[in-house]
Amino acid sequence: MCSTAPLTAMIGPSVLNADLSDLANESQRLLDSGADYLHLDVMDGHFVPNITFGHPVVACLRNKVVGTMLDMHMMVAKPGQWVEPMAGAGADQFTFHIEATEEPGVLCRKIKEAGMKVGVGVKPGTKVETVVEWCDQGLVDMVLVMTVEPGFGGQKFMTDMMPKVRLMRDKYPLLNIQVDGGVGPSTIDMCAQAGANMIVSGTAVVKAEDPGKVMTSLREAVAKCL
């Protein structure tokens, strides 16, 4: 078992969908609206075609949102090289993609030794069983099941990813399981019923007229299934 703590429903807006020229204020707006954590998408132009931001931006944001969980989604080709910089910037959780390393166990240990929680992500085309070995060793705090192809926003939610979530929830009742991609009011029930408890939502929350209302509805949908 990876954890003995009870599961909670957590909603993490993806700040990439916010006004990045005003990132601190946008982040605070989302936190004031009820966000449980902030999801930061780091893209390097190699693992995925797009480029976003890196640890210098995270360090600046850390100083503005003290005490907030910063969940780093590292869509990068060489995640190991960014562990220390992200830890130094104040990141709380470092989620790498299983496809980006040949030594997941070594990387998990490196992240833990740097003082961060370990997240492991799987792309739509990757079997979620690839993370089981590391979960069984107690090295993983969260598994991220991508419900779109990483690297681009605005994609349609992939309902056929839900069996991955269900498999992991059945195997690990107390593991944090995150879904990311196309998640909003119209898809949250599928995620919740499959067993996800950490919800990343971009446009559906960040661009909403009332982000707090949307996050409350997402959280309640998840809580009913825990």
Side-chain angles (χ1 to χ4, degrees):
M1 197 64 63
C2 296
S3 172
T4 56
L7 288 178
T8 58
M10 300 179 67
I11 311 302
S14 172
V15 300
L16 191 60
N17 295 89
D19 179 359
L20 294 179
S21 70
D22 195 22
L23 182 57
N25 287 328
E26 284 281 89
S27 297
Q28 193 60 57
R29 174 179 71 91
L30 293 166
L31 292 167
D32 291 343
S33 296
D36 297 296
Y37 64 99
L38 296 176
H39 183 83
L40 284 74
D41 289 308
V42 176
M43 307 181 193
D44 65 352
H46 296 283
F47 184 75
V48 292
N50 282 341
I51 295 176
T52 56
F53 47 77
H55 59 279
V57 170
V58 176
C60 291
L61 181 61
R62 173 80 287 166
N63 293 329
K64 302 294 185 181
V65 291
V66 177
T68 298
M69 177 184 172
L70 299 182
D71 170 36
M72 310 307 305
H73 183 187
M74 303 298 295
M75 289 173 271
V76 298
K78 297 179 179 179
Q81 108 180 45
W82 303 112
V83 171
E84 291 297 338
M86 281 300 176
D92 296 288
Q93 181 164 272
F94 187 105
T95 300
F96 67 92
H97 271 269
I98 194 74
E99 303 89 355
T101 179
E102 294 181 357
E103 297 183 315
V106 172
L107 183 53
C108 287
R109 292 182 181 91
K110 183 175 182 178
I111 294 166
K112 283 188 175 293
E113 288 167 4
M116 297 181 288
K117 289 187 176 181
V118 176
V120 183
V122 292
K123 294 167 68 173
T126 302
K127 291 182 181 295
V128 76
E129 289 86 349
T130 55
V131 306
V132 164
E133 177 180 353
W134 318 110
C135 291
D136 285 347
Q137 291 184 27
L139 294 174
V140 178
D141 296 293
M142 185 200 78
V143 169
L144 162 60
V145 175
M146 291 299 300
T147 46
V148 298
E149 287 292 340
F152 298 95
Q155 298 177 64
K156 186 178 179 181
F157 178 85
M158 296 179 176
T159 59
D160 55 345
M161 295 300 106
M162 293 303 95
K164 292 184 180 181
V165 178
R166 174 44 58 193
L167 185 153
M168 294 303 290
R169 176 57 67 222
D170 288 345
K171 191 169 180 62
Y172 306 105
L174 297 178
L175 176 67
N176 282 320
I177 300 176
Q178 185 179 73
V179 286
D180 179 10
V183 182
S186 65
T187 54
I188 189 61
D189 285 339
M190 286 183 281
C191 298
Q193 290 163 13
N197 70 298
M198 293 185 70
I199 308 299
V200 176
S201 187
T203 303
V205 166
V206 178
K207 301 297 185 183
E209 187 173 325
D210 187 344
K213 183 177 180 180
V214 175
M215 284 190 280
T216 296
S217 70
L218 298 178
R219 190 179 298 105
E220 289 176 348
V222 172
K224 286 190 298 185
C225 296
L226 292 180

